[in-house]
Amino acid sequence: MKLRRKKVKPITLKDVTIIDDTKLRKAITAASLGNAMEWFDFGVYGFVAYALGKVFFPGADPGVQMIAALATFSVPFLIRPLGGLFFGMLGDKYGRQRILSITIVIMSISTFCIGLIPGHATIGIWAPILLLLCKMAQGFSVGGEYTGASIFVAEYSPDRKRGFMGSWLDFGSIAGFVLGAGVVVLISTIVGEANFLEWGWRIPFFLALPLGIIGLYLRHALEETPTFQQHVDKLEQGDREGLQDGPRVSFKEIATKHWRGLLACTGLVIATNVTYYMLLTYMPSYLSHNLHYSEDHGVLIIIAIMIGMLFVQPVMGLLSDRFGRRPFVLCGSVALIVLAVPAFKLINSDVIGLIFAGLLMLAVILNSFTGVMASSLPAMFPTHIRYSALASAFNISVLIAGLTPTLAAWLVETTQNLLMPAYYLMVIGVVGLATGLYMKETANKPLKGATPAASDMDEAREILQEHHDHIEHKIEDIDREIAELEEKRNRLVQQHPRINE
């Protein structure tokens, strides 16, 4: 039976997408602001965990209060995979822009409501229950937030600048932490510790509402990404009736055809987020509760570290466009394995300069992951399943990483060994190393299922030439393989008496 060849049109200059700089800047600003608000809450929660422990779990001793407050932080991660599945499916079906507008509304309202919850002294057991419900609503919305934002930025970015543009997403995360920490310190300083425990801790959560309104306005004004719009246009040309309910998403296809991408995504997210939560969520509590620094003192050190991270973050993304994403994942993972224990010994030294140096080491390691994560993850999956696949793998991985503050606090309390968080990070470094060796390089390449994207026409010509050169090299490689197979076939034919005749 003769196979019918599917005719494939050659890629020409008309097929290269020219990205509008104004739309790109708006997309990055809107996506980063939503991400900043997400991490503003996480940052505030980590920095006021000691206060929340006293307000919502007043009957326990200080160590148990801390673990209980951090456990409330970790439990909503159980909900994130559900949110990821829900919003991921909708994002692949109806587009990225609509879903990002929905997630920021849910996130801002649930964060605002935390500030409204009365303490345990007023409503008893309902206080921690309501806190948990608000955190679960946050977890559900966040399940579609980061992945949607990273996809949005990646699909709007030129191929040669995707690392730099994507790095601004986690710049927003770090900025959200800085803002959250700064607000906590400012309010605590102004109202005093007693008033802060009584009512001042609520103010940072109230700020989520105006931030959410600004983020919603910016996101609602955005157009759909060029990559997703191209995907929809192709479907319309091939199957107009089948597009009435949006593109179809097959979870069977995600699990069977893209399992390599799922594994690479899981490993990278675990390595990044465990380091993230260890440094930026658990460390303030570690400094105050275990090392007995005042809350403000420990927070100020972390703020200084995070401000430094803001400057390093876009540099990592820029360099990854030149040298690739994998080198940064590999270097960060090796650094975790080798430097985690020395870093924590410096942190435990009781000398401010050495404490700062230890935290700075962990911060630079974290930057090597965050600088490339937002550009690496979306490139692992094709357009029609990108949101669903990435949201599923990401949030299952974050479910594991989200236990970090609780497990770290429990391990230290149980063993009385202040180096337990360092050993934890060393194990995660092994996970990151395996991921870096396993994942494929995606820098300067079009997203799967998308045509090349460029900043201007000159760059488009260069990209097209590189694309054609790449095809020529692949054809040459295939020709060599065919010649080797033909030679092998001839040898085998000569060894067979009947075929040889």
Side-chain angles (χ1 to χ4, degrees):
M1 184 176 68
K2 193 174 182 180
L3 294 175
R4 182 180 297 176
R5 291 185 180 179
K6 185 178 180 181
K7 191 173 181 181
V8 179
K9 294 193 302 181
I11 294 179
T12 64
L13 200 59
K14 293 180 180 180
D15 297 311
V16 180
T17 303
I18 306 298
I19 302 298
D20 184 271
D21 283 342
T22 302
K23 292 181 180 179
L24 176 59
R25 285 194 296 270
K26 287 181 179 179
I28 292 173
T29 301
S32 299
L33 181 62
N35 212 42
M37 202 192 85
E38 171 191 345
W39 291 99
F40 171 82
D41 168 65
F42 285 168
V44 166
Y45 200 92
F47 289 118
V48 303
Y50 74 98
L52 295 178
K54 294 176 182 178
V55 172
F56 292 98
F57 309 98
D61 64 68
V64 175
Q65 284 181 353
M66 182 64 62
I67 293 174
L70 290 174
T72 309
F73 169 86
S74 297
V75 167
F77 284 85
L78 295 169
I79 306 299
R80 287 184 66 153
L82 297 177
L85 287 171
F86 179 76
F87 290 117
M89 181 184 67
L90 293 180
D92 281 332
K93 197 171 185 180
Y94 300 114
R96 293 39 167 141
Q97 185 266 346
R98 295 180 186 178
I99 302 307
L100 286 177
S101 297
I102 295 172
T103 57
I104 200 169
V105 169
I106 298 174
M107 191 163 54
S108 59
I109 291 176
S110 57
T111 303
F112 176 79
C113 287
I114 291 177
L116 298 176
I117 302 173
H120 190 280
T122 304
I123 59 174
I125 191 63
W126 283 105
I129 290 175
L130 290 175
L131 175 63
L132 185 59
L133 289 175
C134 287
K135 294 298 292 179
M136 290 171 71
Q138 281 181 337
F140 188 76
S141 64
V142 169
E145 170 61 33
Y146 180 86
T147 51
S150 64
I151 290 169
F152 200 83
V153 171
E155 291 185 347
Y156 249 114
S157 298
D159 296 338
R160 292 184 174 181
K161 297 180 180 178
R162 188 165 290 116
F164 178 63
M165 298 305 174
S167 67
W168 290 101
L169 191 62
D170 281 291
F171 181 96
S173 303
I174 302 166
F177 258 98
V178 172
L179 179 62
V183 167
V184 170
V185 171
L186 180 64
I187 294 173
S188 178
T189 302
I190 292 175
V191 305
E193 185 173 354
N195 288 328
F196 186 80
L197 286 173
E198 185 176 351
W199 53 267
W201 63 268
R202 301 178 184 275
I203 298 175
F205 295 104
F206 290 151
L207 294 177
L209 194 59
L211 287 175
I213 293 172
I214 295 171
L216 177 62
Y217 171 77
L218 292 174
R219 290 184 174 184
H220 186 70
L222 290 173
E223 296 179 9
E224 188 53 77
T225 68
T227 300
F228 186 80
Q229 193 57 52
Q230 285 176 5
H231 171 58
V232 173
D233 292 342
K234 287 180 182 178
L235 289 179
E236 285 180 337
Q237 292 173 7
D239 182 14
R240 292 181 180 275
E241 292 183 4
L243 198 64
Q244 290 178 356
D245 297 322
R248 297 181 180 90
V249 179
S250 170
F251 290 102
K252 181 180 179 181
E253 179 187 355
I254 295 173
T256 56
K257 293 185 179 180
H258 303 282
W259 58 270
R260 290 181 63 91
L262 291 173
L263 286 178
C265 174
T266 300
L268 181 56
V269 173
I270 288 175
T272 304
N273 281 276
V274 167
T275 311
Y276 218 135
Y277 294 135
M278 187 70 78
L279 178 63
L280 301 183
T281 300
Y282 173 66
M283 196 52 63
S285 301
Y286 181 83
L287 291 172
S288 61
H289 178 69
N290 298 109
L291 302 185
H292 309 295
Y293 285 92
S294 67
E295 283 81 6
D296 290 349
H297 198 172
V299 167
L300 287 173
I301 296 174
I302 298 294
I303 290 176
I305 291 295
M306 288 190 292
I307 291 174
M309 289 179 66
L310 288 174
F311 292 97
V312 177
Q313 177 69 14
V315 175
M316 292 288 192
L318 184 64
L319 292 175
S320 77
D321 283 326
R322 181 167 184 177
F323 300 107
R325 323 291 189 222
R326 292 180 71 234
F328 288 90
V329 177
L330 292 170
C331 289
S333 301
V334 171
L336 271 185
I337 296 169
V338 175
L339 299 178
V341 170
F344 268 85
K345 285 187 176 180
L346 291 174
I347 293 169
N348 294 332
S349 66
D350 204 28
V351 178
I352 292 295
L354 296 180
I355 293 172
F356 189 84
L359 291 171
L360 187 62
M361 288 167 61
L362 295 178
V364 173
I365 293 171
L366 177 56
N367 271 134
S368 70
F369 291 125
T370 58
V372 302
M373 186 168 73
S375 55
S376 297
L377 297 180
M380 295 178 182
F381 305 101
T383 305
H384 68 289
I385 61 162
R386 183 169 292 133
Y387 209 146
S388 301
L390 185 51
S392 302
F394 184 92
N395 288 293
I396 291 172
S397 308
V398 168
L399 172 61
I400 299 171
L403 298 173
T404 296
T406 307
L407 283 178
W410 178 79
L411 287 170
V412 172
E413 287 290 326
T414 303
T415 64
Q416 295 298 305
N417 185 346
L418 294 176
L419 291 179
M420 289 305 294
Y423 301 144
Y424 196 138
L425 289 177
M426 289 177 69
V427 174
I428 296 304
V430 174
V431 174
L433 182 60
T435 302
L437 293 171
Y438 177 77
M439 66 187 286
K440 294 181 179 179
E441 185 56 71
T442 59
N444 298 308
K445 296 178 181 178
L447 295 172
K448 287 185 178 181
T451 57
S455 300
D456 52 44
M457 190 58 69
D458 290 337
E459 186 177 288
R461 293 189 183 94
E462 293 177 9
I463 288 176
L464 189 63
Q465 185 59 51
E466 290 176 1
H467 178 71
H468 290 159
D469 291 343
H470 178 66
I471 291 176
E472 290 174 10
H473 290 314
K474 289 188 74 173
I475 291 173
E476 290 172 0
D477 292 339
I478 292 171
D479 286 340
R480 278 193 294 269
E481 290 179 13
I482 291 174
E484 291 172 1
L485 289 171
E486 186 66 32
E487 184 180 345
K488 183 177 180 180
R489 179 186 181 279
N490 290 336
R491 287 198 304 267
L492 292 172
V493 166
Q494 291 170 8
Q495 295 174 34
H496 197 286
R498 290 189 297 275
I499 298 179
N500 193 23
E501 295 175 358

